Amino acid sequence: MKLYIETLGCPKNFNDSEGIAGIWERAGMQVTDDPVAADAILVNTCGFINDAKKESIDKIFEMARLIADTAVNTAADSAHETVGGVAAAAPAKAIVNGEAGMAAKKLLIVSGCLSQRYGRELFDEMPEVDIFLGVNDYERLPQIAAQFQRGKRQQFFSCQPERFEEFSARKIDENPYSATLRIAEGCNNCCAYCAIPQIRGGYRSRPMENILHEAKVLSEKGCKELILIAQDVTEYGRDLYGTLRLPDLLRALCRISGIHWIRLMYCYEDKITDELIEVMASEEKICHYIDIPLQHISDGVLQRMNRRSTKASITDTIARLRRAIPDIHIRTTLIVGFPGESEAEFEELLDFVEDTEFERLGVFAYSQEEGTAAAAMAHQIDEDEKAARVDAVMRRQVDISRAINEAKVGGLMEVLVDGMDEEDAYIGRTAYDAPEIDNAVIFRSGRELLPGDMVTVRIEDAFDYDLTGRMEE
């Protein structure tokens, strides 16, 4: 049985899909990158905010249409052959509903956060889907698919396991020059706007020896960039070892040969300790880049969000990072339009963005998520006003981003090659840029390069979010 996987959402979801692929192949079955050739299609969904939900639902229906079209064509071909070249008179729907159509129909499986959160409701609303699968049931997928009986739709939502070991069978590309490394699952932060604890459960750190083993396997296969991910990487180790252990984990990862960059994503400000900063400053392999989803700066909004940070702690942490690591590039995400966000609180946020000059910044309009504390709060803000506030923040940030980029013109930068663009120029990233999220470096080279090559580029021009240049031999 061949499986095609369509993945939506964050890097953690893509990491899950690699695990699903590995589990599938370990069971003796194949993974394909062609949905038409597949016997089963799995849509690994995101259910974090409304836009992500819509994208996931649209993709499910897109795959359902593909399956229906494929079944019609296959069944029609079968009918054509059966009658010796005489076209069947029955309509396509009748063919699909007949014996030939049932044999040809692919399985449609929906997994991921949307499935975990709404699967029981969607089961009744999406008869096109054969199997709904929760985020704790991936190990069972090959057995579930093999034993599936046509016409008997199923749903599987197991309780979260007590421990998180990650997938022992994760499918790793032949040249995984950049790879995520999941160090924990779930979240204990319980921010008022977020449904992740309901979906993924409580925080479970992955044993350090398990993480290090996977990192060594990745290195042996050619990985140069490790991207540490979790809902909160800075919480790592407290549940297993009684104390925060991210600094210890980083030191151990830095001892693995072959790894060139180690990147930190999803760090919570209140757990960025002096020890963590010291490790980042002293270990050459750790990128001078950190992702800190701050969400806001107003103490009133932070308190309503149930965040542990304050304006004072945030400004102090940023100062400590920049003092210890002068070239640190800080990425943050902000939420505007949170219930009750006043004009004064929004102006405070705008001033903070302008004064702090974040190297990388994204902003989201608050999404009212059912089942969260914020969804029931008074003074929900109009969607048009939220959109206007998003636009106002990004208009401030674009000038900051361009100025930071312009300061790099004329300098030399180490670049990791990701591929080529439509005009046959190479596209890569610096240590200050995460894949699919941050800036790119577009450059020319006098020789052929491959994804994963690391080269030196002289920066010749700067734009709002990208740099251009030429490779130095």
Side-chain angles (χ1 to χ4, degrees):
M1 186 181 288
K2 293 181 181 179
L3 177 69
Y4 171 79
I5 303 173
E6 183 78 36
T7 307
L8 301 135
C10 68
K12 294 180 284 295
N13 252 25
F14 282 84
N15 189 278
D16 275 351
S17 289
E18 291 172 343
I20 294 167
I23 290 166
W24 192 262
E25 290 191 344
R26 185 180 61 187
M29 296 186 279
Q30 291 180 270
V31 175
T32 177
D33 58 5
D34 181 3
V36 175
D39 303 299
I41 292 176
L42 182 143
V43 182
N44 189 2
T45 61
C46 178
F48 183 53
I49 58 176
N50 286 330
D51 286 348
K53 293 179 205 172
K54 183 180 184 304
E55 183 184 15
S56 293
I57 290 169
D58 288 346
K59 182 59 68 173
I60 293 168
F61 284 129
E62 178 188 331
M63 291 296 106
R65 286 191 298 272
L66 182 147
I67 288 172
D69 292 345
T70 305
V72 167
N73 294 335
T74 304
D77 289 345
S78 176
H80 179 83
E81 292 170 5
T82 301
V83 297
V86 180
K93 185 174 182 181
I95 295 173
V96 173
N97 289 336
E99 186 174 336
M102 288 302 291
K105 186 178 182 297
K106 308 173 191 291
L107 277 180
L108 180 56
I109 305 164
V110 173
S111 71
C113 291
L114 187 77
S115 181
Q116 180 70 34
R117 190 175 180 192
Y118 299 108
R120 290 176 176 86
E121 295 92 327
L122 294 176
F123 185 81
D124 296 327
E125 297 175 9
M126 289 184 166
E128 299 88 350
V129 178
D130 298 299
I131 299 169
F132 280 94
L133 197 69
V135 297
N136 301 309
D137 296 280
Y138 296 136
E139 290 281 356
R140 305 166 59 193
L141 178 59
Q143 180 182 2
I144 290 168
Q147 295 177 352
F148 180 78
Q149 297 180 28
R150 296 290 179 185
K152 294 185 178 180
R153 300 169 62 236
Q154 295 175 289
Q155 50 184 319
F156 300 88
F157 301 100
S158 300
C159 296
Q160 74 168 56
E162 292 183 3
R163 289 171 62 86
F164 177 61
E165 299 284 353
E166 185 57 298
F167 301 113
S168 58
R170 177 183 175 191
K171 180 178 171 62
I172 300 170
D173 293 337
E174 287 303 313
N175 180 29
Y177 66 90
S178 175
T180 57
L181 184 62
R182 180 105 67 115
I183 67 172
E185 174 64 296
C187 188
N188 292 340
N189 290 311
C190 297
C191 300
Y193 51 81
C194 183
I196 291 298
Q198 302 169 27
I199 298 169
R200 294 281 180 172
Y203 197 93
R204 290 104 67 202
S205 297
R206 186 177 169 195
M208 195 176 297
E209 60 272 18
N210 188 288
I211 297 170
L212 295 175
H213 172 72
E214 184 177 358
K216 289 174 183 175
V217 170
L218 286 166
S219 173
E220 290 166 1
K221 287 183 171 287
C223 181
K224 296 179 180 178
E225 178 186 37
L226 284 178
I227 304 170
L228 270 58
I229 59 170
Q231 300 301 333
D232 174 4
V233 299
T234 42
E235 176 68 12
Y236 176 74
R238 196 198 302 267
D239 57 317
L240 280 184
Y241 308 113
T243 186
L244 300 177
R245 295 290 300 275
L246 181 59
D248 295 332
L249 175 62
L250 288 171
R251 292 187 187 98
L253 288 170
C254 287
R255 305 285 83 80
I256 297 174
S257 61
I259 300 300
H260 196 72
W261 289 349
I262 299 174
R263 187 179 304 282
L264 293 178
M265 304 292 290
Y266 319 121
C267 300
Y268 274 62
E269 178 276 322
D270 60 297
K271 284 166 277 195
I272 298 176
T273 62
D274 288 339
E275 182 186 12
L276 176 59
I277 294 173
E278 188 278 327
V279 171
M280 291 184 66
S282 61
E283 293 285 357
E284 291 185 1
K285 292 185 178 183
I286 300 176
C287 296
H288 288 179
Y289 170 103
I290 188 168
D291 178 289
I292 315 172
L294 295 173
Q295 315 303 14
H296 217 278
I297 194 59
S298 165
D299 283 333
V301 177
L302 290 168
Q303 186 174 21
R304 293 196 299 277
M305 286 179 167
N306 197 35
R307 303 281 291 185
R308 287 185 293 270
S309 295
T310 64
K311 184 175 185 176
S313 71
I314 289 170
T315 53
D316 176 67
T317 296
I318 292 169
R320 287 187 294 124
L321 280 164
R322 288 179 167 170
R323 187 164 54 246
I325 312 169
D327 67 328
I328 187 78
H329 279 49
I330 301 174
R331 157 162 282 282
T332 195
T333 48
L334 304 172
I335 295 174
V336 297
F338 190 78
E341 182 189 53
S342 67
E343 287 287 349
E345 288 169 330
F346 178 63
E347 287 295 330
E348 185 178 5
L349 182 65
L350 279 179
D351 291 343
F352 171 65
V353 169
E354 192 164 295
D355 295 342
T356 307
E357 296 184 340
F358 286 103
E359 288 78 13
R360 309 283 183 260
L361 182 144
V363 60
F364 297 92
Y366 164 71
S367 177
Q368 190 175 7
E369 296 299 312
E370 55 268 70
T372 62
M377 289 181 179
H379 308 298
Q380 299 284 332
I381 293 175
D382 177 82
E383 293 298 324
D384 289 341
E385 178 60 28
K386 286 191 278 190
R389 293 182 182 186
V390 168
D391 184 62
V393 172
M394 290 314 299
R395 277 190 281 108
R396 296 278 180 101
Q397 178 61 25
V398 71
D399 293 336
I400 295 168
S401 178
R402 178 182 279 274
I404 290 170
N405 280 347
E406 287 175 346
K408 295 180 169 68
V409 173
L412 295 173
M413 303 195 76
E414 185 179 41
V415 172
L416 177 64
V417 179
D418 283 323
M420 300 187 77
D421 67 9
E422 296 175 353
E423 298 180 358
D424 293 331
Y426 287 97
I427 301 175
R429 293 175 289 112
T430 71
Y432 306 124
D433 299 290
E436 307 295 333
I437 298 171
D438 294 314
N439 299 1
V441 179
I442 302 160
F443 66 97
R444 300 287 179 181
S445 170
R447 59 182 173 87
E448 185 177 352
L449 302 173
L450 296 173
D453 285 345
M454 303 200 80
V455 298
T456 300
V457 174
R458 184 171 297 280
I459 305 303
E460 297 176 335
D461 204 354
F463 300 90
D464 293 346
Y465 296 109
D466 293 324
L467 301 168
T468 61
R470 181 167 294 278
M471 192 186 91
E472 296 262 317
E473 294 293 344

